[in-house]
């Protein structure tokens, strides 16, 4: 063993000699096994998920010590090895015990009990080592709720309780449990795309991304900051991790921005905000896109297709802030470093463009994400021979090992979170909580979104982004989707186009049915629909809302939650990506966090657009129109916040920009959007006539 080093917030052991060789070989075999099963599923889904957890639980136990800082203790290493072997053996045993449990009338034998308890305790302890105390506490609270103290809770959250044997069975063998739906996502799509990303990085695609960004934006005003935005966005298609993006691209882009004259805290904020957007960038989008596809039953390829324009809008919002800040400070373009578009492509473009392009083409053609990811891996190997960094057997081996090591935290986390999700499904907490959100918000969608944003920030203090999304989506997505569908019902009622067969349902639910006798104003329609109890609202939505609109509402609800789950990367006091950037920039952590929060305003604006417009409907003319107004509106809002466009603006102009920018992105009459866009662009034209700011030494 050698030193310890931080990895994803956890202290990690490193090994030398024979132990290192053995663990490296195990990592390679785990990756090969998952790829093989993707093509030839010779074992059941439950077996695959259990074996998946077994392998990564062992690696987590060995690489991450029981006591932080005690990486050199032989006694602790022996304990961790024994602990890891016990968890792996228990997980491997449980699929073979399933039939016997059914044969005994869903009764556990002593061996079954031992294996189940070891797996649950292992999940709790390993998530503590990898992510801190929040997830373990959630698991303990959830399991004890359905087993003990739930019956003492009054009101809607009272739960009569289950026997511990039922809890154990449901926790292991349930559809939403430890080796259920979320574990399936982890053992297939997520891990294969993590391996795909590792191959891209090992092939030199990360260097190509930096070189391409320099060639495209290096000589623009604010070029180094724009380089950070482009590089982080493209790197996000590889890693899907904001902190990993920040650490990998930030060591290049942050010094470049500081050299160009940007303040250190702003440079760190740009990198953190840009890297956060990397998780929103199709086609990978971190693990969240695969979880979303499973939760919503909406095809993965549709999710990543409609996610493209919102992600692009987010990155443009950061670019606007960067350019405006450069203009405000009077920073000139940087001199060319000789990198051109052609030279960047010659060095390593093939190993990025061909695999990513092929991956997207396969997804669009209807191939499953698992197949697309495996063929993407093969495409990286083949295309690397067209670059200056061809991948031979050694490089392939290293990429496999890198992918497995990079998956440890995610694999253990996703399996462990299944214990919480299973309790939420078993006790019906999700539906109850959704009803409470709708009641607290009074049917107001904007208030509900604000509540979800606050909840995501609180959860983000202790949960990784994917876990925060899973928990929030389970609890609040039904409420948001219902409110979005209600907007269609309100519009139909106000316009007089409501299906006549729905009128009797409305009349029975209203204290005064006479309000429906004549024309109904938009305000009255809103009040009527918001006052409906769920037992009326739900069947009314099913009757009135077209299937395509309902699907778009569900997708919008989940995408809103997914976006808001990212805010812990850039929002103090958490701001994980911002604090990583602050360390690189040698800037105050909290000041960098505030800067990143300011730069990441698109993280809050775009979800509102998703909620109130058909931005994710699949209606591309409407989506492009919304995108165009969004570009103008966010530019106006950025100018108002920064006090500058291409030249500084006064207080009155800032107020006008703020109002006009908000009117561009807010759903309203098209003529209002057009007038607002005309005002923003008109102020820009006037602003260009002012004298430029010149940087002073």
């Amino acid at each position: 063993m050698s030193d310890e080093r931080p990895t994803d917030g956890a202290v990690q052991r490193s090994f030398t000699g024979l132990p290192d060789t053995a663990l490296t070989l195990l990592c390679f075999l785990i990756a090969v096994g998952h790829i093989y099963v993707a093509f030839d599923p010779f074992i059941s889904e439950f077996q695959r998920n259990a074996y998946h957890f077994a392998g990564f639980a062992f690696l987590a136990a060995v690489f991450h010590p029981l006591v932080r800082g005690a990486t050199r203790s032989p006694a602790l290493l022996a304990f961790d090895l024994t602990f890891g072997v016990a968890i792996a053996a228990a997980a491997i045993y449980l699929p073979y015990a399933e039939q016997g449990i059914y044969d005994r009338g869903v009764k556990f034998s002593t061996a079954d009990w031992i294996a189940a308890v070891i797996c649950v305790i292992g999940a709790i302890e390993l998530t503590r080592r990898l992510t801190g105390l929040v997830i373990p506490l959630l698991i303990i609270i959830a399991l004890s709720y359905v087993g003990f103290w739930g019956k003492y809770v009054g009101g809607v959250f009272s739960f009569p309780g289950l026997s511990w044997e039922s809890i154990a069975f449901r926790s292991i063998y349930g559809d939403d449990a430890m080796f259920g739906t979320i574990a399936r996502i982890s053992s297939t799509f997520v891990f294969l795309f993590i391996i795909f990303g590792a191959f891209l990085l090992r092939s030199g695609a990360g260097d190509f991304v930096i070189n391409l960004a320099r060639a495209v934006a290096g000589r623009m005003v604010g070029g180094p900051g724009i380089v950070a935005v482009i590089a982080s966005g493209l790197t996000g298609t590889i890693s899907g991790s904001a902190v990993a993006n920040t650490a990998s691209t930030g060591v290049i882009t942050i010094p470049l921005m500081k050299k160009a004259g940007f303040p250190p805290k702003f440079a760190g904020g740009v990198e953190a905000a840009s890297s956060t957007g990397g998780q929103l960038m199709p086609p990978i989008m971190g693990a969240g896109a695969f979880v979303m596809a499973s939760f919503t039953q909406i095809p993965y390829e549709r999710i990543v297709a409609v996610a493209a324009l919102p992600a692009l809008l987010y990155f443009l919002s950061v670019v606007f802030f960067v350019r405006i800040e450069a203009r405000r400070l009077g920073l000139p373009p940087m001199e060319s470093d000789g990198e051109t578009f052609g030279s960047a492509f010659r060095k390593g473009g093939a190993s990025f463009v061909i695999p990513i392009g092929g991956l997207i083409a396969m997804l669009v053609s209807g191939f499953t994400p698992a197949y697309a990811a495996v063929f993407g891996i093969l495409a990286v190997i083949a295309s690397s021979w067209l670059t200056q960094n061809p991948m031979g057997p050694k490089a392939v081996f290293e990429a496999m090992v890198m992918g497995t090591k990079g998956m440890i935290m995610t694999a253990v986390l996703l399996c462990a979170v299944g214990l919480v999700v299973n309790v939420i499904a078993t006790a019906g907490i999700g539906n109850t909580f959704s009803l409470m959100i709708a009641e607290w918000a009074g049917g107001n969608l904007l208030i509900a979104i604000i509540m979800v944003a606050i909840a995501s920030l609180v959860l983000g203090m202790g949960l990784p982004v994917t876990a925060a999304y899973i928990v929030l989506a389970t609890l609040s997505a039904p409420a948001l989707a219902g409110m979005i569908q209600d907007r269609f019902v309100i519009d139909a009622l106000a316009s007089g186009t409501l299906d006549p067969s729905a009128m009797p349902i409305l009349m029975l639910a209203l204290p005064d049915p006479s309000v429906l006798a004549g024309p109904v104003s938009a305000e009255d329609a809103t009040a009527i629909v918001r006052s409906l109890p769920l037992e009326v609202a739900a069947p009314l939505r099913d009757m009135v809302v077209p299937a395509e609109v309902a699907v778009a509402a569900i997708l919008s609800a989940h995408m809103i939650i997914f976006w808001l789950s990212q805010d812990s990367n850039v929002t103090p006091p958490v701001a994980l990506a911002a604090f990583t950037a602050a360390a690189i920039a040698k800037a105050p952590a909290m000041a960098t966090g505030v800067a990143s929060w300011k730069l990441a305003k698109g993280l809050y604006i775009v979800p509102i657009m998703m909620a109130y417009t058909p931005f994710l409907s699949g209606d591309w003319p409407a989506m492009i129109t919304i995108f165009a107004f969004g570009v103008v509106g966010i530019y106006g809002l950025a100018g108002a916040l920064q006090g500058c466009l291409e030249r500084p603006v006064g207080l009155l102009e800032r107020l006008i920009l703020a109002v006009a920018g908000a009117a561009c992105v807010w759903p309203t009459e098209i003529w209002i959007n057009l007038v607002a866009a005309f005002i923003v662009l008109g102020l820009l034209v006037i602003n260009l006539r002012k004298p430029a700011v010149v940087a002073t030494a």
Side-chain angles (χ1 to χ4, degrees):
M1 287 186 298
S2 60
D3 59 345
E4 64 185 55
R5 51 196 171 89
T7 303
D8 293 319
V11 175
Q12 179 171 319
R13 284 190 183 101
S14 57
F15 296 85
T16 57
L18 183 60
D20 177 63
T21 302
L23 288 169
T24 300
L25 182 60
L26 176 61
C27 290
F28 174 75
L29 292 175
I30 288 173
V32 171
H34 280 77
I35 292 174
Y36 182 81
V37 172
F39 276 101
D40 182 15
F42 64 95
I43 55 177
S44 70
E45 181 178 297
F46 184 81
Q47 286 176 308
R48 182 193 62 216
N49 297 344
Y51 299 162
H52 173 75
F53 177 73
F56 283 104
F58 175 78
L59 293 176
V62 173
F63 280 117
H64 300 275
L66 174 69
V67 179
R68 180 179 290 271
T71 57
R72 293 188 175 90
S73 168
L76 278 180
L77 176 59
F79 172 82
D80 288 336
L81 278 168
T82 305
F83 186 51
V85 169
I87 299 171
I92 292 170
Y93 165 83
L94 285 168
Y96 296 100
E98 183 177 13
Q99 188 58 50
I101 293 173
Y102 282 120
D103 291 342
R104 291 187 296 271
V106 195
K107 297 294 182 182
F108 276 38
S109 68
T110 301
D112 301 337
W113 270 113
I114 292 172
V117 170
I118 288 175
C119 275
V120 172
I121 291 176
I124 292 172
E125 167 57 17
L126 293 178
T127 51
R128 181 197 67 82
R129 298 186 190 189
L130 292 164
T131 66
L133 290 173
V134 173
I135 297 177
L137 288 175
L138 281 177
I139 295 172
I140 293 169
I141 291 170
L143 294 177
S144 60
Y145 167 75
V146 292
F148 173 63
W149 58 269
K151 58 190 174 187
Y152 299 110
V153 178
V156 294
F157 287 111
S158 180
F159 187 75
L162 298 172
S163 69
W164 288 108
E165 192 166 43
S166 293
I167 294 169
F169 179 82
R170 290 169 181 254
S171 296
I172 300 297
Y173 298 104
D175 291 339
D176 298 310
M178 195 170 172
F179 303 140
T181 303
I182 300 175
R184 174 180 60 81
I185 298 165
S186 178
S187 65
T188 53
F189 310 142
V190 175
F191 187 29
L192 292 175
F193 274 91
I194 291 287
I195 296 174
F196 174 64
F199 269 82
L200 284 174
L201 290 173
R202 183 60 184 81
S203 72
D207 295 332
F208 161 72
V209 164
I210 298 291
N211 293 333
L212 177 66
R214 282 176 168 169
V216 171
R219 294 187 295 276
M220 296 180 181
V221 173
I226 299 172
V227 166
V229 177
I230 297 173
S232 296
L234 293 176
T235 304
T237 66
I238 301 173
S239 71
S241 167
V243 176
N245 279 6
T246 302
S248 60
T249 61
V251 293
I252 298 173
T253 60
I254 290 174
L256 197 64
M257 284 186 275
K258 290 172 66 178
K259 181 180 177 182
F262 287 106
K265 65 178 182 180
F266 185 84
V270 170
E271 180 57 45
S274 304
S275 294
T276 297
Q279 293 190 265
L280 309 173
M281 175 61 70
I284 297 179
M285 298 171 63
F290 306 111
V291 179
M292 192 184 305
S294 177
F295 276 6
T296 62
Q297 296 301 300
I298 296 172
Y300 171 82
E301 56 269 23
R302 172 171 177 175
I303 291 174
V304 296
V306 299
L309 285 179
L312 180 57
L313 186 57
Y314 174 84
F315 283 110
L316 284 174
S317 72
V318 182
V319 166
F320 292 154
F321 274 103
V322 169
R323 182 176 177 87
I324 288 170
E325 181 69 6
R327 286 297 194 187
R328 190 179 70 83
L329 297 175
L331 302 180
M334 289 189 69
E335 295 182 4
S336 172
D337 60 0
E339 192 71 72
T340 65
F341 197 72
S343 66
F345 263 91
R346 284 191 295 273
K347 290 176 184 176
S351 61
F352 181 86
V353 174
I354 293 175
I356 293 291
L359 180 75
I360 295 172
M362 291 188 71
L363 291 173
V364 171
S365 300
F367 287 92
T368 67
Y371 267 72
V374 174
F375 279 108
I377 292 168
L378 297 175
V380 174
I381 298 171
S383 60
S384 70
W385 287 85
L386 302 175
T387 72
Q388 297 177 1
N389 189 27
M391 294 186 70
K394 181 182 177 182
V396 170
F397 181 86
E398 291 173 350
M400 291 279 203
V401 174
M402 185 193 310
T404 301
K405 289 183 176 179
M407 181 67 186
I408 292 174
M409 186 188 79
T410 302
V412 173
L413 170 67
L414 291 180
C415 291
V417 165
L419 292 168
V420 178
V421 173
N422 178 64
V423 169
I424 292 172
T426 299
I429 296 173
N431 290 334
T432 303
F433 194 80
S434 282
L435 287 173
M436 293 177 67
I437 288 178
E439 183 179 346
W440 292 339
N444 188 303
L445 182 57
L446 181 59
I447 294 176
I449 291 173
I450 293 172
M451 291 168 62
V452 172
I454 294 171
S456 72
L457 181 59
V458 173
L459 284 175
M461 293 180 182
L463 290 179
V465 165
T466 302
Y469 162 67
I470 290 171
V471 173
L472 276 174
T474 306
L475 293 174
S476 58
L480 285 184
M483 291 184 197
I484 293 171
Q485 291 181 60
D486 283 345
R487 291 183 52 253
F488 182 91
V489 180
I490 291 169
D491 292 342
L493 181 59
S495 63
T497 59
L498 188 69
D499 189 333
S501 62
M503 296 302 286
I505 297 178
L506 273 176
M507 296 179 71
L508 288 172
L510 293 177
D512 181 14
S514 64
V515 298
L516 300 175
V520 180
S521 67
E523 293 77 11
D524 289 340
T526 301
I528 290 170
V529 173
R530 287 181 179 176
S531 69
L532 296 176
L534 182 64
E535 57 269 21
V536 175
L540 184 65
R541 293 167 190 154
D542 294 339
M543 180 181 295
V544 173
V545 179
E548 189 63 23
V549 175
V551 169
I554 293 170
L555 177 54
S556 296
H558 279 266
M559 195 70 76
I560 289 167
I561 295 167
F562 180 62
W563 273 59
L564 293 177
S565 297
Q566 315 296 324
D567 65 352
S568 60
N569 286 311
V570 291
T571 307
V574 190
L576 301 177
F579 293 162
T580 302
I584 299 171
K586 296 180 173 59
M590 199 56 66
T592 306
V594 171
S596 68
W597 175 76
K598 186 176 180 180
L599 287 157
K601 280 294 178 290
L603 206 59
Y604 309 99
I605 296 173
V606 177
I608 293 175
M609 296 172 66
M610 295 175 185
Y612 285 94
T613 69
F615 205 8
L616 301 178
S617 64
D619 180 355
W620 285 96
M623 290 165 60
I624 292 171
T625 301
I626 294 164
F627 173 79
F629 281 119
V631 169
V632 178
I634 289 178
Y635 180 71
L637 290 171
L641 287 170
Q642 295 293 92
C644 184
L645 293 175
E646 291 295 294
R647 311 284 189 270
V649 296
L651 179 60
L652 178 60
E653 290 172 299
R654 293 178 72 172
L655 291 173
I656 296 173
L657 279 171
V659 173
C664 282
V665 300
W666 192 255
T668 184
E669 299 292 335
I670 186 67
W671 68 267
I672 296 178
N673 296 138
L674 287 169
V675 170
F678 179 79
I679 291 172
V680 172
L681 296 175
L683 286 174
L684 174 60
V685 171
I686 295 171
N687 184 257
L688 285 168
R689 299 176 181 272
K690 295 181 179 180
V693 176
V694 180
T696 56

